[in-house]
């Protein structure tokens, strides 16, 4: 049965500032979402994931739980086949829960499209797959930057500069060991993006200076990654985190933990993604003691600690 595996994506630098046209750097991770497509044994489209099992008679029906998957079925039908795809069963396996700041929706979308195209025996190149995946995200969300879908399809390190209309996979392939602490979110990405917009309209000169600093940090990180200057990379992560905190998108749990990590000699750490929890990305591993401390500080917001994560350079993988 056709199976596609798409990497989850972490924002290393530049989230929020990227919405205003500044640089951001994303990395694909060796944590992959797996999507399998097979014929449906009934006349219904069946979708099975950690969110439950859903059965639809029509791909135009509403699917509150699996909107990205149903939209992928619609896009393959309209843009590729010119007719509705026959009923299929789609099974999703993800190593992390949804909405934890690791672009699960982008990875699920890219893997669903790739597995569906393989099922239909249709070959497309990665650039087109990234374009189709971005189209699905825009149709579901209304607005979306191509950063997450592009990085999930291509793999590696991706630099985006919306102001110059640029998105590129870097030729750099540093081996960087990361770990992640997943933190329960309360606010949504939409709330947090709206909060930054409110700050921007009220304190434009200040917020623009913060964005400019984030932009400078993002560009400096390329130099640190090229030279594998881990100390500098870590320092840049801490400073980027504190600038995000200044924008008001972190919370006291995450800020306390990151400042504890810094004082304990952890090389680098920052929130990643929209904020209010989600993912904390850490340079290197943390000790068992620090992990215990993380649970203590985050209390019921603590979800998981994942160590030995590295940057994935293979991008989406498709198998039959
Ligand atoms: C969310 O993962 C990253 C943000 O920069 C929003 C976006 O880029 O669309 C906060």
């Amino acid at each position: 049965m056709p199976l596609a595996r798409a990497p989850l994506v972490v924002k290393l630098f530049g989230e929020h500032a990227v919405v205003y046209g500044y640089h951001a750097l994303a990395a694909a991770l060796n944590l992959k979402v797996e999507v399998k497509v097979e014929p449906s044994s009934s006349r219904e489209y069946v979708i099975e994931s950690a969110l439950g099992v859903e059965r639809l008679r029509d791909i135009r029906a509403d699917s509150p739980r699996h909107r990205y998957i149903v939209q992928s079925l619609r896009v393959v039908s309209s843009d590729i086949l010119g007719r509705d795809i026959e009923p299929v069963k789609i099974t999703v396996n993800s190593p992390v829960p949804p909405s934890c700041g690791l672009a699960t929706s982008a990875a699920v979308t890219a893997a669903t499209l790739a597995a569906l195209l393989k099922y239909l025996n249709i070959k497309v190149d990665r650039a087109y797959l990234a374009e189709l995946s971005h189209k699905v995200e825009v149709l579901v969300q209304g607005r979306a930057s191509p950063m997450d879908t592009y990085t999930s399809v291509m793999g590696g390190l991706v630099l985006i500069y919306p102001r110059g209309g640029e998105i590129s996979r870097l030729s750099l392939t540093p081996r960087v060991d990361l770990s992640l602490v997943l933190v329960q979110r309360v606010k949504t990405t939409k709330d947090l993006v709206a909060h930054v917009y409110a700050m921007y309209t009220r304190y434009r000169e200040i917020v623009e200076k913060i964005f400019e600093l984030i932009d400078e940090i993002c560009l400096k990180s390329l130099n640190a990654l090229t030279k594998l200057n881990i100390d500098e990379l870590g320092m840049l992560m801490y400073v980027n985190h504190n600038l995000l905190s200044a924008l008001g998108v972190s919370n006291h749990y995450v800020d306390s933990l990151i400042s504890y990590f810094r004082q304990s000699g952890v090389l680098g750490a920052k929130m990643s993604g929209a904020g209010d929890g989600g993912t904390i990305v850490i340079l290197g591993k943390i000790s068992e003691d620090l992990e215990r401390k993380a649970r203590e500080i985050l209390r019921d917001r603590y979800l998981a600690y994942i160590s030995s994560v590295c940057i994935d350079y293979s991008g989406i993988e498709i198998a039959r």
Side-chain angles (χ1 to χ4, degrees), residues 11 14-19 101 143-145 147-148 189 193 272-275:
K11 259 70 80 178
E15 55 272 86
H16 286 290
V18 71
V19 175
R143 264 184 81 184
S145 110
M147 174 164 65
D148 289 346
T189 298
V193 168
S272 174

Side-chain angles (χ1 to χ4, degrees), residues 54-73:
E54 204 162 14
R55 295 170 189 281
L56 301 172
R57 285 205 168 270
D58 189 316
I59 55 171
R60 270 157 293 273
D62 258 359
S63 156
R65 271 183 290 176
H66 298 109
R67 288 183 301 157
Y68 293 88
I69 294 174
V70 174
Q71 193 61 58
S72 300
L73 286 164

Side-chain angles (χ1 to χ4, degrees), residues 178-221:
L178 302 170
S179 19
L180 312 171
V181 175
L182 306 187
V183 186
Q184 181 70 52
R185 280 173 71 178
V186 175
K187 294 180 190 152
T188 64
T189 298
K190 200 172 162 189
D191 296 338
L192 293 153
V193 168
H195 166 81
V196 174
Y197 185 66
M199 288 279 288
Y200 180 77
T201 45
R202 191 148 178 209
Y203 305 107
R204 189 165 173 156
E205 297 85 45
I206 296 173
V207 172
E208 262 173 4
K209 286 201 176 77
I210 295 178
F211 289 159
E212 279 159 22
L213 284 172
I214 292 177
D215 191 75
E216 204 173 320
I217 287 169
C218 186
L219 293 175
K220 265 205 189 319
S221 78

Side-chain angles (χ1 to χ4, degrees), residues 69 125 130 171 222 229 237 246 297:
I69 294 174
D125 62 19
S171 53
L222 301 181
N229 185 341
M237 287 169 77
I297 292 175

